[in-house]
Amino acid sequence: MKFVKALASATILAACTFGSASAADLVVGFSQIGSESGWRAAETTLTKQQAEQRGIDLKFADAQQKQENQIKAIRSFIAQGVNAILLAPVVATGWDEVLQEAKDAEIPVILLDRTVDAPKELYLTAVTSDLVHEGNVAGKWLVDTVAGKSCNVVELQGTTGSSPAIDRKKGFEAALAGKDNLKIVRSQTGDFTRTKGKEVMESFLKAEDGGKNICALYAHNDDMAVGAIQAIKEAGLKPGKDILVVSIDAVPDIFQAMAAGEANATVELTPNMAGPAFDVLATYLKDGKEPAKWIQTESKLYTQADDPMKVYEEKKGLGY
Amino acid sequence: MTSTVRTYLGRLLPQLIALAIIIAAISIIFPGFLNLQIQNGRLYGSLIDILNRGAPVVLLAIGMTVVIATKGIDLSVGAVMAICGAVSASLITSGHSLAETLLVTLAVGVLCGVWNGILVAVLDIQPIIATLVLMVAGRGIAQLITEGAILTFNDPGLIFIGSGSFLGLPMPVVIWLVFGILVALVVRQTALGMLVEAVGVNREASTLSGVFTPVLLIAAYVLSGLCAAIAGVIAAADIKGADANNAGLWLELDAILAVVVGGTSLLGGRFSIAASVLGAIIIQAINTGILLSGFPPEFNLIIKAAIIVFILVLQSPRFRAVFTFVSMPRAAGRPTEREAK
């Protein structure tokens, strides 16, 4: 009798495990930071789209920039018995306890877009972009484009001390290292905003002989570049021709500028972090094979040759 | 008349000196600073940049001065800027005319002011708390309007407000000049300014002596809301888009600072709109100077803080007393006050 009971429960258990392995009835909880930027909104939209395409039942929780809300959301996901949890952590620290709870409940957690300071065994993997690499791609494009000609570069940095600002600067400088024809002549923070990007660019133009001394602008995000483009136009110069413009993020508005010939290149920070996450999750649930602890998303370079208007139309509806 | 001008200049003297020192210092670091030229039919140069970039803070400071003179404070102006920018962008993109857009936007600013004013004047909530409500909620409201994205527009009329020019001056400068003179005239050529000061010094006494304080207080916050609305439209028009997350962010603090640098006491009472405008220009001159200087961005805030502390110390009565004492001619046998009597 005892044996039969055990056998029956084992069969049920196996059936359950088998059931959860097929993507069709997967339930995944997603704890999102909030919607503080257009990129974040696009990430939310794409995550929902990706889940729908794969027939995954996505439970979405907006934390409104608060860690305690995220912790609450994760606990509620655990209580609901979801198959996996996606977490875009608002801060790096303080996750150990709740991640341990998820681990005890045998629910894999995948980090999106940012990482945490917690032991690696507490989460399945982290899907993020490599910020240094992004800067590097932008730098390489500039090195190739000017092709040995002498070029003074001005840089619009992100918010001072933020990790995208530090890393995107580092990557760009690494790409320029050893190239004597390229020189960063001015570098200031534009706080990742259009207004500050415009204001700082105005001062760069004044400081560098009305802009005649500047051959290229590197902005740590597209919004600052969009602001700077307006400043260049108002100073009577042609952005994209007199001053090359390269930036990072690939938000829709920069594609409009590229279509108008006012921006030259952008490096994409893809908002589709969930796609790769769902892929590894499917493999993991099927084969039980642990993926690498870090999955790097592609930092794709877009230029004016990539039909910017088409990309703009594609991206417009994503909620950027 | 000459004496009026002299007292007026005397009131503004510390601010004018501070501004002159800052401008002199920047032109030493960056020689091309004072260059002005005509480009595309408008004045072009760093000095114009200061007046132009300073527009939002100047406008906020005008409203903030009157609010502070009533012994109040308006923390919500940055958020109101974001709301009004968002409102104007969403109206213009949904096909409304420029006149309608501006009218509704200014009305929204006034409405925000009425809300703050009622909380302070009728419900008697402390101004810092009352306006904190809208400061926190306002940015959320703005995000709701723009749906979290930067709402861009291409209406030439609206863009003109941010980057057009009139008589060679950028539109934002023209707007704050005209608006500032208008407000100054209204409060100073009528008894309004004095009544505001009276409320700020002693609200109860003014009520008892027949001033209808609730209306006056609400009017002060309405003015502040209106200023924030204009600043919000300018900020949005400048970048051809409404950025609900960043428009006017922390500008309430810059506006309060401008009022303080302008020498108006946070305890209410006497105020000078011209001095606050100068204060805002001083702050913007420091910002622009830092950008031109080419220092690494890590130093921006430190330099700004150091200069502001210096200006405030120069203005403090205690420092002035010490300074007067030190520089006093030590003539022997000079009669003291008691002996003179």
Side-chain angles (χ1 to χ4, degrees):
Chain A
M1 193 58 207
K2 209 176 184 182
F3 172 73
V4 175
K5 227 183 198 172
L7 194 71
S9 61
T11 324
I12 293 165
L13 203 69
C16 290
T17 330
F18 181 74
S20 64
S22 75
D25 45 8
L26 264 185
V27 181
V28 175
F30 176 30
S31 170
Q32 174 64 293
I33 295 177
S35 57
E36 77 281 4
S37 67
W39 185 87
R40 186 71 57 198
E43 186 190 40
T44 304
T45 317
L46 265 166
T47 306
K48 286 177 179 166
Q49 273 181 11
Q50 290 287 333
E52 209 178 303
Q53 273 172 26
R54 287 153 214 259
I56 293 171
D57 180 9
L58 190 77
K59 298 210 177 298
F60 179 73
D62 184 329
Q64 303 190 329
Q65 317 292 327
K66 288 205 177 77
Q67 187 180 26
E68 63 260 37
N69 288 349
Q70 292 205 295
I71 292 175
K72 254 187 249 162
I74 295 173
R75 291 207 169 119
S76 110
F77 291 147
I78 296 172
Q80 291 170 42
V82 297
N83 300 91
I85 295 170
L86 301 182
L87 167 67
V90 63
V91 291
T93 52
W95 298 102
D96 300 43
E97 199 184 319
V98 73
L99 287 180
Q100 187 62 51
E101 288 169 28
K103 196 177 167 63
D104 293 343
E106 292 182 5
I107 298 172
V109 176
I110 300 180
L111 306 175
L112 292 191
D113 162 49
R114 300 182 186 186
T115 55
V116 298
D117 289 337
K120 280 194 163 48
E121 64 272 12
L122 290 184
Y123 56 89
L124 184 66
T125 181
V127 183
T128 70
S129 158
D130 184 348
L131 296 163
V132 179
H133 180 63
E134 289 169 359
N136 208 274
V137 172
K140 281 216 177 83
W141 174 84
L142 190 61
V143 169
D144 294 343
T145 307
V146 299
K149 278 196 299 261
S150 147
C151 183
N152 285 338
V153 184
V154 293
E155 181 183 29
L156 284 172
Q157 297 183 29
T159 307
T160 308
S162 68
S163 64
I166 295 168
D167 290 347
R168 286 172 177 179
K169 185 176 169 59
K170 205 200 286 175
F172 186 78
E173 281 170 352
L176 261 59
K179 307 281 188 297
D180 295 333
N181 56 327
L182 287 152
K183 207 170 101 206
I184 299 176
V185 286
R186 297 223 161 222
S187 183
Q188 247 300 341
T189 174
D191 280 335
F192 285 129
T193 67
R194 289 189 190 196
T195 314
K196 284 283 281 177
K198 187 173 179 185
E199 179 179 356
V200 176
M201 192 65 204
E202 276 174 359
S203 76
F204 282 170
L205 291 164
K206 303 274 169 1
E208 296 296 331
D209 193 18
K212 291 182 199 79
N213 249 339
I214 305 172
C215 114
L217 160 73
Y218 165 51
H220 287 188
N221 79 345
D222 290 338
D223 278 327
M224 290 191 292
V226 169
I229 286 169
Q230 289 175 21
I232 298 171
K233 280 203 280 193
E234 282 169 25
L237 294 171
K238 286 195 185 68
K241 292 187 185 69
D242 297 332
I243 296 176
L244 300 173
V245 179
V246 55
S247 51
I248 299 178
D249 273 359
V251 302
D253 283 352
I254 199 76
F255 287 97
Q256 258 184 330
M258 280 191 341
E262 293 170 350
N264 300 86
T266 185
V267 180
E268 183 176 45
L269 166 63
T270 177
N272 181 14
M273 303 259 166
F278 287 140
D279 288 343
V280 294
L281 185 65
T283 338
Y284 172 72
L285 291 179
K286 206 163 113 205
D287 310 335
K289 204 178 122 222
E290 290 242 355
K293 279 293 166 194
W294 179 42
I295 295 164
Q296 183 187 345
T297 55
E298 192 193 356
S299 301
K300 193 178 168 198
L301 179 79
Y302 286 95
T303 64
Q304 290 177 356
D306 293 312
D307 195 1
M309 259 346 256
K310 189 169 154 264
V311 187
Y312 172 73
E313 293 298 334
E314 282 167 17
K315 287 195 167 242
K316 207 173 57 177
L318 293 179
Y320 270 108
Chain B
M1 189 65 208
T2 4
S3 67
T4 334
V5 171
R6 198 170 296 156
T7 24
Y8 204 58
L9 275 183
R11 167 69 181 81
L12 298 180
L13 200 60
Q15 283 75 35
L16 287 171
I17 292 175
L19 188 59
I21 293 175
I22 289 166
I23 289 181
I26 305 170
S27 29
I28 291 169
I29 301 171
F30 180 71
F33 181 66
L34 297 172
N35 289 354
L36 276 182
Q37 62 205 58
I38 307 272
Q39 190 164 322
N40 301 335
R42 64 190 276 184
L43 283 167
Y44 183 85
S46 296
L47 287 176
I48 299 295
D49 275 2
I50 292 177
L51 299 179
N52 191 15
R53 289 285 142 221
V57 177
V58 168
L59 282 164
L60 296 183
I62 291 170
M64 191 68 80
T65 309
V66 177
V67 170
I68 285 178
T70 68
K71 207 176 185 175
I73 202 150
D74 189 350
L75 295 181
S76 71
V77 287
V80 173
M81 263 182 82
I83 296 177
C84 292
V87 167
S88 63
S90 71
L91 283 177
I92 206 89
T93 47
S94 58
H96 290 78
S97 72
L98 182 64
E100 283 170 3
T101 303
L102 291 182
L103 216 65
V104 174
T105 307
L106 296 186
V108 168
V110 167
L111 204 69
C112 292
V114 171
W115 162 265
N116 282 332
I118 288 177
L119 288 187
V120 172
V122 181
L123 301 182
D124 228 354
I125 300 171
Q126 282 182 357
I128 197 166
I129 302 301
T131 55
L132 191 68
V133 175
L134 194 55
M135 177 190 177
V136 175
R139 210 156 280 284
I141 295 170
Q143 281 165 345
L144 275 178
I145 298 170
T146 64
E147 292 165 351
I150 298 179
L151 208 56
T152 48
F153 49 83
N154 291 310
D155 183 80
L158 191 52
I159 291 170
F160 183 79
I161 294 173
S163 44
S165 65
F166 183 72
L167 297 178
L169 281 175
M171 265 319 269
V173 182
V174 176
I175 293 172
W176 72 249
L177 265 175
V178 171
F179 189 78
I181 291 171
L182 215 66
V183 173
L185 281 181
V186 168
V187 296
R188 286 308 177 197
Q189 293 303 310
T190 65
L192 217 56
M194 206 182 64
L195 296 181
V196 165
E197 288 175 352
V199 172
V201 173
N202 194 330
R203 189 165 152 188
E204 212 164 321
S206 349
T207 313
L208 290 175
S209 46
V211 181
F212 196 44
T213 39
V215 169
L216 211 59
L217 277 173
I218 293 175
Y221 286 92
V222 164
L223 174 67
S224 180
L226 187 64
C227 289
I230 302 173
V233 173
I234 290 178
D238 181 42
I239 57 165
K240 303 175 191 172
D243 185 348
N245 294 313
N246 298 307
L249 194 61
W250 307 126
L251 284 197
E252 58 280 342
L253 298 182
D254 268 8
I256 294 168
L257 187 63
V259 175
V260 171
V261 169
T264 298
S265 165
L266 287 179
L267 295 174
R270 297 186 63 186
F271 70 94
S272 161
I273 288 178
S276 299
V277 169
L278 269 178
I281 295 297
I282 289 174
I283 294 172
Q284 188 56 42
I286 297 171
N287 287 342
T288 306
I290 291 170
L291 293 180
L292 286 170
S293 67
F295 285 121
E298 288 81 0
F299 290 101
N300 290 5
L301 299 175
I302 301 172
I303 298 171
K304 188 174 168 184
I307 296 173
I308 284 164
V309 165
F310 182 70
I311 295 172
L312 294 182
V313 167
L314 277 185
Q315 284 185 12
S316 79
R318 191 153 296 178
F319 175 82
R320 275 198 217 168
V322 171
F323 185 75
T324 335
F325 178 76
V326 172
S327 64
M328 200 165 61
R330 286 170 214 278
R334 195 173 167 214
T336 63
E337 254 177 53
R338 196 176 293 166
E339 283 165 345
K341 274 179 194 165

